[in-house]
Amino acid sequence: MAEMTYRDALNAAMCQEMDRDDSVFLMGEEVAEYDGAYKVSRGMLERYGDQRVVDSPISELGFAGLCVGAAMTGLRPICEFMTFNFSILALDQVINSAAKMLYMSNGQIPVPIVFRGPTGAALQLSAQHSQACETYYVHAPGVKLVTPATPADAKGLLAAAIRDDDPVAVMEGELLYNVRGEVPDGEYIIPLGVADLKRSGDDVSIVTHGKMVHVALQAAGLLAREGIEAEVLDLRSIRPLDVDAILETVARTNRVVYLEEGWPFAGVGAQIVSMIQDEAFDDLDAPVVRVTQADIPMPYAKNLEQLAKPSAKSVVNACRQVLYLPAA
Amino acid sequence: MAQAIGEMEAKVNGTELSTADGEADAAGLEGFSREELHALLADMLLYRRFEEKAEEAYAIGKIGGFCHLHIGQEGLAAGAIKPLRGDDLVITAYREHTQAIAKGITPRAAMAELYGRTTGCSGGRGGSMHLFDTSVGFMGGHGIVGGQIPLGAGLGWAIRYRGGDQVCVCFMGDAAVNQGAFLESLNMSAIWRLPVIYVVENNGYGMGTAFSRVSVTDMEARSGACGVPAHTINGQDVLETYRFFEDLAAKVRAGAGPQFVNALTYRFRGHSMSDPVSGTYRSKEEVEAHITQQDPITILRDRMMEAGLLTQEELEAIDAGARSISDDAADFADASPVPDPSTLYDHVYAEINEHGRLFLDGRGERPGDGGPANG
Ligand SMILES: Cc1ncc(C[n+]2csc(CCOP(=O)(O)OP(=O)(O)O)c2C)c(N)n1
Ligand SMILES: [Mg+2]
């Protein structure tokens, strides 16, 4: 174990995989000479050369499509988006090409590609730079999605994503890159589809993913002061989804809050709630409550932005609601 | 009428390629053996008869969905693909039946795909617009206008990454050059000198919109902006096209970098099966003029006959062969099984992860309900 930042853990995963497999390369804006817009690929140009660590032009549709085309021949591109906001320009290639290629070709053409970069809001970047893009991706059959919340998860999940034979989106967070934590040394892989219980408790379950894991833990801390023990289940992987882990926590606490950074309409939480009511209706003691970003484009003003984002306080109140307690 | 068509007529009618000029014909045929000429004619006739058969099958409901015929443009399928090596890659749009056959997909496998059968080259999952066979380097039929262009760049990237000497030929329609993906791909191909030949099948129209009505610059100017050399050729002249691609592929193989080919051609049928042949956007006369003067098959046939390299009997025999292959393909398709319902969820994912669920509709991961057999 070594303590490192989330950023360095991602770097370690890429290096780990590039060392063992020549077919892995990294392409994206600013990834090479500039060391990455968020310095995730620091030192990699020097280590692997400009054929494997490649600065692209600002052409999201183009370089994402190029990476998909390369993957069609068995190469394993890591396609970095400076942020997933910009990947909206590339969604045609993600959804119409990468996600559907294997099916359209009757299994002839797998697309072993990773799309990675930060998703969701940072601080006061306003509407176009602050959105969670998970649902755009998981909506399409053929795509997988992981959302590491800690440095260890970042290393293990990114490495697993690179080895996976399908298109995998790895959604990180601008506000996570400096988070520090213990990371296993050496080769480290976390299989896709395994949720992680980040905190246990008997009274209520907060199910969440990505950066919101930290908000959930904060909320759980606040609740603990009132004698309420919240369980925090970090899905880590949205597709494949660890349904068993969700059903277990539902069975344990019978009360669930789903917390996510994205919008509520057709959000990830909407899917989870639907799944819970399909498969664990009888285990529920209260309707599941969702905490999401306000259903608006992200405002710039600091006070409005705070109101729009899910906060520990809103999570605390959602937990109280499913416990039939008055808002704090 | 689109500017491109005007250019094409001027070139075909006003140059040594004119069918009226016997001497020039001999020059055009020069360098091709009798066998090669017969093979090219047979290829194009096969493409024509195959498409006619598809048209027939569509009319009686054997083929569904969108179906775009290549009739009139066969010179490009034969001329641009036949000179390629088996391990070269071709990627293209949705008007691709004949290109698939040219690259090596059998007429049976292509027709069965149009019929949506398991014996189709995409197992009935792709249909007319999505023919694939990686074993012959045919990387698909793609349905989003311009979507295949970055993919073509990526195929070229992969060739270069591995140090191979294959080339990738990436076809598109004229309308596709107005997509941002085109400019993005040409720029990246140029900076990284990718071994890709981008070919516009310039039939003058995107559905019912003439290129010239929605484009301010001409075709060659499009690639010039990225420093990719542009070439205009007469796609109705299969011999010119063949020689040109033979030469260009060799240059690209040797490291010449990406190329852009504006191949002038004309579509003799409607945009797709639901579209009339002429309609509001082009006149009957215009279509007729092209069918009578610019048919790539007729042009080659006449030149071979004039040069004494083809008899009427031989022509009839070749045509009968083309018809029988097409009939056989349709019979084969018709007799082939439709996909097994239990395979519905196959090939959505290449790797069914050990943990977690990939499908949340209650199907897909349980045996017997169309669950993944490929996991
Ligand atoms: C992105 C996109 N927009 C629109 C369409 C609908 N569409 C299908 S073919 C076509 C015309 C394309 O013309 P062109 O590229 O010249 O090819 P051609 O049909 O002439 O071979 C259009 C508009 C589409 N398939 N994809
Ligand atoms: Mg066209």
Side-chain angles (χ1 to χ4, degrees):
Chain A
M1 287 280 190
E3 200 192 82
M4 64 171 81
T5 60
Y6 184 99
R7 161 186 295 118
D8 290 340
L10 291 167
N11 183 292
M14 289 194 285
C15 292
Q16 169 187 303
E17 295 308 304
M18 286 179 71
D19 282 342
R20 71 184 276 279
D21 185 350
D22 285 343
S23 65
V24 181
F25 67 91
L26 172 68
M27 180 180 285
E29 292 156 17
E30 310 289 353
V31 300
E33 294 201 1
Y34 191 75
D35 279 339
Y38 296 98
K39 308 298 170 199
V40 171
S41 50
R42 184 179 316 201
M44 287 177 64
L45 172 63
E46 215 171 293
R47 187 156 165 186
Y48 299 104
D50 62 4
Q51 299 303 298
R52 295 184 72 196
V53 180
V54 188
D55 279 326
S56 75
I58 303 176
S59 302
E60 279 79 6
L61 175 65
F63 74 75
L66 184 149
C67 287
V68 174
M72 286 169 71
T73 74
L75 294 183
R76 293 181 171 270
I78 304 169
C79 174
E80 175 173 319
F81 294 121
M82 192 178 283
T83 81
F84 269 96
N85 297 289
F86 315 137
S87 85
I88 294 173
L89 279 87
L91 278 182
D92 173 50
Q93 289 298 341
V94 175
I95 293 171
N96 278 314
S97 297
K100 299 174 183 170
M101 198 70 68
L102 185 76
Y103 200 79
M104 294 193 297
S105 68
N106 198 33
Q108 292 181 72
I109 308 186
V111 180
I113 189 173
V114 167
F115 300 106
R116 52 155 290 270
T119 186
L123 295 172
Q124 283 198 282
L125 297 182
S126 67
Q128 294 180 333
H129 286 71
S130 312
Q131 63 199 316
C133 297
E134 289 90 314
T135 53
Y136 301 144
Y137 281 72
V138 283
H139 190 57
V143 175
K144 296 173 180 173
L145 169 65
V146 295
T147 54
T150 65
D153 289 352
K155 181 175 176 185
L157 289 172
L158 176 54
I162 295 168
R163 290 191 195 182
D164 199 274
D165 286 337
D166 289 302
V168 186
V170 179
M171 295 198 182
E172 305 155 7
E174 271 160 84
L175 298 179
L176 290 174
Y177 289 130
N178 285 330
V179 168
R180 302 186 73 85
E182 292 290 320
V183 175
D185 301 322
E187 199 171 281
Y188 182 53
I189 302 281
I190 298 172
L192 306 192
V194 181
D196 185 43
L197 204 54
K198 291 284 194 281
R199 185 185 197 281
S200 19
D202 291 330
D203 299 324
V204 55
S205 304
I206 307 170
V207 181
T208 187
H209 68 268
K211 193 196 320 167
M212 288 300 110
V213 167
H214 301 277
V215 175
L217 289 170
Q218 223 184 317
L222 295 172
L223 287 164
R225 285 195 227 154
E226 305 168 28
I228 299 168
E229 288 305 322
E231 181 142 299
V232 175
L233 182 68
D234 174 7
L235 294 178
R236 296 202 293 199
S237 169
I238 310 294
R239 195 166 187 164
L241 183 70
D242 192 343
V243 173
D244 292 344
I246 298 172
L247 297 180
E248 274 162 33
T249 192
V250 174
R252 196 153 45 237
T253 68
N254 315 111
R255 296 166 199 277
V256 182
V257 168
Y258 195 84
L259 165 63
E260 71 182 301
E261 208 184 349
W263 290 303
F265 204 114
V268 174
Q271 177 61 57
I272 306 282
V273 170
S274 157
M275 188 279 293
I276 292 175
Q277 75 96 20
D278 277 350
E279 306 200 19
F281 187 76
D282 290 339
D283 284 338
L284 290 175
D285 284 346
V288 181
V289 169
R290 289 190 290 151
V291 180
T292 67
Q293 185 195 314
D295 208 2
I296 53 170
M298 186 66 87
Y300 166 72
K302 209 172 199 168
N303 65 327
L304 292 183
E305 184 185 44
Q306 266 168 10
L307 284 173
K309 286 175 165 178
S311 64
K313 188 168 170 229
S314 54
V315 177
V316 165
N317 281 330
C319 290
R320 295 182 68 89
Q321 189 182 333
V322 298
L323 286 158
Y324 298 111
L325 296 170
Chain B
M1 194 198 294
Q3 173 207 357
I5 303 304
E7 279 170 17
M8 184 190 79
E9 284 177 332
K11 179 152 197 185
V12 174
N13 296 331
T15 69
E16 75 276 15
L17 297 177
S18 160
T19 49
D21 185 339
E23 258 182 31
D25 279 348
L29 299 171
E30 205 173 281
F32 286 94
S33 70
R34 194 173 177 286
E35 289 67 40
E36 285 169 332
L37 293 169
H38 276 248
L40 282 171
L41 186 66
D43 288 334
M44 290 197 295
L45 268 167
L46 170 61
Y47 307 155
R48 177 72 50 93
R49 300 306 173 215
F50 180 94
E51 293 290 64
E52 288 168 353
K53 195 74 202 172
E55 200 171 23
E56 212 179 290
Y58 194 94
I60 56 170
K62 296 280 185 190
I63 298 171
F66 288 140
C67 182
H68 312 82
L69 303 179
H70 208 223
I71 293 178
Q73 306 182 201
E74 298 93 338
L76 269 166
I81 297 175
K82 285 295 170 187
L84 300 179
R85 260 177 19 197
D87 63 347
D88 288 335
L89 301 175
V90 168
I91 188 164
T92 183
Y94 47 80
R95 197 181 295 289
E96 91 284 30
H97 312 158
T98 68
Q99 297 168 333
I101 296 171
K103 193 67 177 71
I105 292 182
T106 64
R108 281 183 166 197
M111 190 67 86
E113 190 55 37
L114 307 195
Y115 275 61
R117 304 303 170 98
T118 48
T119 50
C121 55
S122 306
R125 279 174 158 64
S128 160
M129 298 188 281
H130 307 300
L131 307 180
F132 287 89
D133 188 346
T134 55
S135 72
V136 297
F138 193 78
M139 304 305 280
H142 298 267
I144 303 299
V145 169
Q148 78 282 17
I149 310 174
L151 298 175
L155 297 174
W157 169 273
I159 291 169
R160 211 204 54 165
Y161 190 90
R162 295 194 169 100
D165 72 340
Q166 304 102 292
V167 303
C168 170
V169 175
C170 177
F171 289 98
M172 69 199 80
D174 43 285
V177 305
N178 284 325
Q179 289 283 30
F182 172 77
L183 183 85
E184 295 185 22
S185 302
L186 260 74
N187 180 56
M188 290 187 298
S189 303
I191 53 176
W192 296 321
R193 287 186 73 75
L194 305 181
V196 183
I197 303 175
Y198 295 95
V199 185
V200 171
E201 293 194 79
N202 189 350
N203 61 17
Y205 297 93
M207 288 182 68
T209 303
F211 181 73
S212 57
R213 285 208 295 128
V214 290
S215 314
V216 281
T217 56
D218 68 23
M219 196 54 87
E220 289 204 357
R222 295 308 174 103
S223 77
C226 296
V228 173
H231 318 264
T232 295
I233 63 164
N234 176 8
Q236 304 309 85
D237 183 339
V238 69
L239 302 182
E240 174 187 330
T241 304
Y242 187 100
R243 279 287 178 252
F244 176 81
F245 273 90
E246 192 176 43
D247 190 44
L248 193 64
K251 283 187 184 139
V252 171
R253 225 181 279 297
Q259 306 289 323
F260 179 63
V261 182
N262 172 30
L264 304 177
T265 186
Y266 199 80
R267 148 166 76 68
F268 291 179
R269 292 293 201 274
H271 167 71
S272 69
M273 293 307 300
S274 54
D275 178 41
V277 170
S278 48
T280 49
Y281 63 93
R282 58 179 194 178
S283 68
K284 231 186 176 133
E285 295 70 39
E286 179 187 310
V287 178
E288 275 310 310
H290 283 86
I291 290 176
T292 50
Q293 294 160 38
Q294 308 291 357
D295 185 329
I297 298 176
T298 316
I299 291 170
L300 179 62
R301 178 200 68 191
D302 290 353
R303 289 162 71 194
M304 286 169 68
M305 282 185 159
E306 273 171 44
L309 293 165
L310 177 73
T311 65
Q312 185 60 32
E313 295 70 51
E314 285 170 328
L315 174 67
E316 279 163 20
I318 294 172
D319 196 26
R323 285 178 196 277
S324 103
I325 294 171
S326 304
D327 290 347
D328 167 74
D331 293 344
F332 171 79
D334 210 19
S336 293
V338 297
D340 185 332
S342 73
T343 66
L344 184 64
Y345 281 71
D346 287 4
H347 307 308
V348 179
Y349 292 98
E351 188 173 342
I352 302 299
N353 304 94
E354 198 181 327
H355 307 278
R357 239 186 254 172
L358 284 165
F359 304 97
L360 284 180
D361 56 0
R363 303 167 70 185
E365 271 157 317
R366 289 175 199 146
D369 60 3
N374 58 328

